[in-house]
Amino acid sequence: MEKAVEIPIDLAQKCVKCGLCKSVCPTYSVNQEEGSFARGRLALAQMVIEGEIPLTGEVAKQWDECAMCRRCEWICPNDVHYKEILVYARHMQKEELGAGMVKSAGLKSLELMQTKVGRKLVKLAGRIMSLLPTNEIKTPFPTGAVKFMPKPTSKAFGLRGKVFKAEKEKAKLLFFTGCMIDAFYGKTGENVVKLLNRAGYTVVVPEDIRCCGAPHYYSGNTETFERLKDHNLKEMQKYDYDAIVVACPTCGGALQEDYGINKKVYDFAELLQDKRLRFVGKGESITFHVPCHSYSAMKVKDEVFYSVMNSVENAQLKKAQKDKSCCGFAGLFSITNPKMSDQIQKEKIEDLASTGANIVLSTCPGCVLNLKDGTIKHKTAQEVMHLADYLAERLVDEV
């Protein structure tokens, strides 16, 4: 039986209705309704589970409007397991009301992309789209969402099945690349390997890992998550490694929390606090967006990222006032809830722009996508980069 279906009701009853989650919920700031933050959504889940109210489309709508950033867990004084409860609620929703065409298609595309045929098609699309003059393509969706999406890379899945040896190896890492790096941000993956090699880590990239399954799990599609997890665990067991490294905190959170792995899962930035690495900037000013799942799922302290950025010579770090607020992406959330996502994105872009920084950095490919989309729409002229790309461009010879 799937993990989500086994959640006892006492997890929801741990909520003492203090309302502290209201202060950090990105969707409450838009709707300002009781059902628009964790306390209200938990109450609805509890009433449905206990049979007090029926599961209707209106109830499901409140659950669908959650970005699953899990900032409510981060601030909760009573350790309420919000993710597990809402996954269970969404599983019930899927079973009784269906998942919806757009969500189903989006989740299915993540599966198909990682098949042999899917990988070939992504590479082909990348070669064709490389002829286009822009890096981002304005893409409309049937929900009314319009996003500037990155082009697939012609080198998609190019790291798969390779071992990148460090000169003076101090550990061997399995790099779980993730769908977005595989398909869209291949250069980011290469830069993660470059940085880790220089820091003394040999990097192993499995041949046939699939989507981590986090989008499916968060959507209540626990059957597909279990299938993807089982496949990935079998594939990862083929390799010898000391720890796992990611450059996507959503993947990292799934591996750390839901895979039952006894190996440590690192965000790549955690492994770069090494005096042997020297970074020299170009006189630019930088600011940082802390991905929600970095601290809510992976439990990485944001001081890790700031420590690495502060080590860059000839660059000025300007911390945003709301550096840990949600960017509004949350995967399919930004497609199925475009108006709400756009408002959250707008607030984030305004905060980042107020720093006056030239470059916006983050460690989540999804956040990079959404922040680029936001800077284009709001014309802030800020460059958006994954932290790995920024650091790799400024890496110089050892001290």
Side-chain angles (χ1 to χ4, degrees):
M1 184 175 289
E2 294 80 16
K3 178 182 175 183
V5 182
E6 299 172 352
I7 297 303
I9 191 62
D10 61 356
L11 282 184
Q13 292 171 339
K14 287 179 68 176
C15 176
V16 295
K17 312 296 189 295
C18 70
L20 192 60
C21 50
K22 181 191 299 184
S23 66
V24 296
C25 179
T27 57
Y28 179 76
S29 68
V30 178
N31 277 357
Q32 297 195 345
E33 298 174 353
E34 181 67 21
S36 296
F37 69 106
R39 183 176 70 185
R41 290 177 179 130
L42 287 175
L44 287 173
Q46 184 173 340
M47 287 189 285
V48 170
I49 292 169
E50 294 180 336
E52 295 182 26
I53 61 173
L55 176 50
T56 64
E58 183 57 35
V59 171
K61 180 175 180 290
Q62 299 289 358
W63 295 340
D64 282 337
E65 288 181 349
C66 174
M68 288 297 277
C69 63
R70 299 172 57 189
R71 286 166 55 78
C72 51
E73 291 182 19
W74 164 63
I75 203 171
C76 179
N78 217 33
D79 192 31
V80 175
H81 296 187
Y82 178 77
K83 179 192 80 168
E84 306 296 350
I85 300 165
L86 202 64
V87 165
Y88 179 31
R90 286 177 168 178
H91 178 83
M92 289 192 301
Q93 174 187 336
K94 180 180 75 70
E95 294 297 300
E96 296 186 29
L97 304 178
M101 186 181 301
V102 173
K103 183 180 290 186
S104 297
L107 294 175
K108 194 64 180 179
S109 69
L110 292 175
E111 292 183 74
L112 296 176
M113 183 177 73
Q114 295 281 8
T115 63
K116 290 183 179 179
V117 173
R119 291 171 188 170
K120 290 179 180 178
L121 290 175
V122 172
K123 289 180 183 179
L124 177 61
R127 286 196 291 269
I128 294 172
M129 290 190 180
S130 66
L131 302 174
L132 298 175
T134 57
N135 291 324
E136 280 73 39
I137 309 297
K138 189 175 183 179
T139 308
F141 293 89
T143 57
V146 178
K147 299 196 78 64
F148 286 89
M149 299 290 291
K151 296 184 296 187
T153 172
S154 59
K155 296 182 179 180
F157 309 97
L159 298 176
R160 292 298 190 86
K162 297 178 181 178
V163 177
F164 302 88
K165 293 189 70 65
E167 276 189 29
K168 298 179 181 179
E169 180 184 305
K170 59 184 178 184
K172 186 179 293 184
L173 305 173
L174 184 144
F175 182 18
F176 196 100
T177 47
C179 296
M180 293 199 67
I181 285 179
D182 280 335
F184 299 105
Y185 298 121
K187 187 63 177 177
T188 300
E190 293 175 10
N191 284 331
V192 170
V193 171
K194 175 182 176 180
L195 291 166
L196 292 174
N197 276 173
R198 285 284 295 274
Y201 298 98
T202 288
V203 180
V204 179
V205 184
E207 175 68 35
D208 192 31
I209 50 173
R210 307 288 173 86
C211 175
C212 68
H216 306 80
Y217 189 66
Y218 282 178
S219 297
N221 192 337
T222 54
E223 303 90 344
T224 300
F225 169 75
E226 291 295 332
R227 187 172 67 251
L228 291 167
K229 181 184 79 170
D230 289 345
H231 173 90
N232 289 334
L233 286 173
K234 289 176 183 176
E235 176 66 14
M236 293 162 70
Q237 287 169 2
K238 298 176 183 177
Y239 302 88
D240 175 45
Y241 58 95
D242 301 304
I244 300 168
V245 65
V246 298
C248 170
T250 300
C251 290
L255 293 167
Q256 186 168 287
E257 295 180 326
D258 305 309
Y259 269 54
I261 297 172
N262 60 5
K263 302 275 190 179
K264 172 69 176 174
V265 181
Y266 290 99
D267 184 290
F268 80 99
E270 293 181 273
L271 302 170
L272 299 184
Q273 301 175 82
D274 192 319
K275 297 298 182 183
R276 291 188 303 166
L277 297 183
R278 184 181 177 213
F279 305 102
V280 178
K282 306 172 184 178
E284 71 275 7
S285 56
I286 57 177
T287 192
F288 188 68
H289 161 67
V290 185
C292 298
H293 286 174
S294 287
Y295 57 90
S296 66
M298 290 194 71
K299 307 296 189 294
V300 179
K301 296 184 181 300
D302 46 305
E303 288 84 359
V304 169
F305 308 117
Y306 284 111
S307 173
V308 173
M309 287 182 291
N310 273 318
S311 72
V312 180
E313 302 170 29
N314 195 31
Q316 182 184 7
L317 178 60
K318 298 182 175 182
K319 188 173 181 179
Q321 184 177 358
K322 301 176 182 178
D323 61 334
K324 293 175 80 167
S325 67
C326 180
C327 74
F329 181 60
L332 288 170
F333 169 83
S334 65
I335 306 302
T336 57
N337 298 280
K339 291 183 179 179
M340 187 175 292
S341 174
D342 287 349
Q343 182 58 39
I344 297 169
Q345 180 196 63
K346 180 174 181 289
E347 293 175 4
K348 166 58 71 171
I349 295 299
E350 288 175 349
D351 182 54
L352 293 171
S354 70
T355 66
N358 309 123
I359 301 174
V360 176
L361 301 173
S362 189
T363 50
C364 171
C367 295
V368 169
L369 183 157
N370 205 53
L371 294 173
K372 282 189 177 181
D373 173 69
T375 57
I376 293 170
K377 288 176 177 175
H378 297 285
K379 300 179 174 61
T380 65
Q382 289 176 301
E383 184 179 3
V384 180
M385 301 177 70
H386 194 286
L387 180 61
D389 297 321
Y390 174 80
L391 293 175
E393 286 184 8
R394 288 153 181 80
L395 180 64
V396 297
D397 291 338
E398 290 90 346
V399 179

